[in-house]
Amino acid sequence: MANLILASKREVKSGAMMWHVYRSEDSVKSGEFYFSEALKALRYAFILRKRTGAVIPKAIYNKLMAEVKASQPQQEASAAPEQESQPTAEVVGEASPLARQYGEMKAKHPDAILLFRVGDFYYPNK
């Protein structure tokens, strides 16, 4: 059996629906986590993939991406007032190299979700 990263939506003890992300070959459930948002679950799946070499099945990836895309309009509407009040690198002065690279990649792929790894963390596009 291949080493796979699996994700499923489950009801936890509190009654909330959470994304359960884990590796199929973990005998000790050390890499198993629950996430309330699909985007966080997807990020963790990519981190597991990089650290362990495990594979994310296409069906799992598609299920998480569908949920991320479905929840994005809600997130953008709630984040809009915050974005207007925060100055960006372009407004303050010259853009940082990261901001320039982000702008170039977003122009090439406007519908994609961009994940930038900075140190040990991934920063999503907004």
Side-chain angles (χ1 to χ4, degrees), residues 68-84:
V68 168
K69 287 180 181 179
S71 67
Q72 253 185 339
Q74 297 167 355
Q75 290 175 356
E76 288 174 5
S78 64
E82 294 173 12
Q83 289 178 352
E84 293 172 9

Side-chain angles (χ1 to χ4, degrees), residues 23-30:
R23 282 184 36 213
S24 62
E25 290 189 357
D26 276 349
S27 57
V28 178
K29 299 292 183 183
S30 59

